[in-house]
Amino acid sequence: MAKVKIQKKDIWIDMTPMSDVMTLLLCFFMLTSTFLTPEPIKVNAPNSVSEVKIPENDVLNILVSPEGRIFLGTENKNYMKAMMETMTDKFNVSLNANQQKHFLEDAMAGAPMSKLAAYLSLEPEKMAEAIQSLGIPTDSIDGGKSEFQEWVKAAREANPDIRLAIKCDSKTPYKTVKAMMSELQDMNENRYQLITNLKTASEE
């Protein structure tokens, strides 16, 4: 008995609707995603059971490295510019246009005022390396406020409603964190949030 040959037909699938869906999804994620600001140093925050979220806007982020170096900044570049102008005027530091550009492109302020101009004169690649050994001093200036306190004050002047969020490394010495918090209390900055990682059930 002869075999019945089934005629083969090419199957054509219209991929246009799938392409439209993928384009819409891509646009959705691009418009709704928030990009994290790169931090000058790597900090592993301690774990906590708190699920309170840090606000995304109007926040002054204070970063404390394991060695106790302090960095701070906010994602709003207008506030950062106002803070820069306040600090450079107070400490009589002159920055050219290129140095100011580097400051606003940097993730956080983290250089002593005496070294700020030299730090901002470096190439971006060298800035990322140099910042590792710097940090905002917490020593009082002539019995007055420290540079750290002056930066916080400048941030408060730039935005009176700004909130403070502190992120310390789990290996940061307690005395360093306590000293920093004492400086905030001396300024009547008694409300701030601590950034931690959420503790999982396996860690409890």
Side-chain angles (χ1 to χ4, degrees):
M1 183 176 180
K3 293 183 179 180
V4 178
K5 291 185 178 181
I6 301 176
Q7 186 178 3
K8 294 183 179 180
K9 295 182 180 180
D10 293 334
I11 300 175
W12 181 80
I13 301 176
D14 187 5
M15 300 296 291
T16 303
M18 182 176 291
S19 301
D20 292 341
V21 170
M22 294 300 295
T23 303
L24 289 173
L25 286 173
L26 180 61
C27 291
F28 171 78
F29 287 117
M30 288 178 63
L31 294 173
T32 58
S33 298
T34 55
F35 298 94
L36 295 176
T37 302
E39 297 176 341
I41 56 171
K42 185 177 180 180
V43 170
N44 296 316
N47 294 333
S48 169
V49 295
S50 175
E51 296 186 17
V52 178
K53 291 185 178 181
I54 302 296
E56 295 182 2
N57 301 317
D58 298 338
V59 176
L60 179 68
N61 294 298
I62 302 173
L63 195 67
V64 188
S65 73
E67 298 78 20
R69 298 188 179 92
I70 297 177
F71 309 85
L72 55 78
T74 175
E75 294 186 2
N76 191 310
K77 295 304 179 182
N78 292 327
Y79 298 155
M80 289 297 291
K81 183 178 180 180
M83 291 163 59
M84 176 191 67
E85 292 173 349
T86 299
M87 291 297 290
T88 51
D89 288 344
K90 184 173 185 62
F91 288 87
N92 296 319
V93 175
S94 179
L95 300 178
N96 58 38
N98 190 53
Q99 291 169 333
Q100 293 181 23
K101 179 175 177 288
H102 281 180
F103 178 87
L104 295 176
E105 289 176 348
D106 215 358
M108 289 183 166
M113 294 305 297
S114 59
K115 300 180 180 178
L116 183 62
Y119 165 71
L120 295 175
S121 297
L122 300 173
E123 295 297 324
E125 299 80 17
K126 294 185 178 180
M127 286 175 62
E129 181 180 350
I131 198 68
Q132 304 293 322
S133 59
L134 298 176
I136 298 175
T138 55
D139 301 326
S140 297
I141 305 170
D142 298 328
K145 291 184 173 64
S146 66
E147 287 189 22
F148 168 69
Q149 290 174 317
E150 292 292 353
W151 275 107
V152 175
K153 180 182 176 183
R156 183 65 69 190
E157 291 176 357
N159 178 13
D161 298 324
I162 201 165
R163 287 160 287 189
L164 308 183
I166 302 173
K167 183 177 181 180
C168 300
D169 193 275
S170 57
K171 297 180 180 178
T172 302
Y174 173 72
K175 63 179 182 179
T176 302
V177 181
K178 183 180 179 181
M180 181 195 62
M181 290 182 175
S182 296
E183 292 207 354
L184 291 175
Q185 291 175 351
D186 291 341
M187 303 173 61
N188 293 323
E189 294 286 355
N190 298 313
R191 300 188 65 180
Y192 42 79
Q193 294 175 290
L194 299 176
I195 300 176
T196 58
N197 294 323
L198 183 63
K199 182 184 291 186
T200 61
S202 60
E203 295 173 327
E204 295 179 351

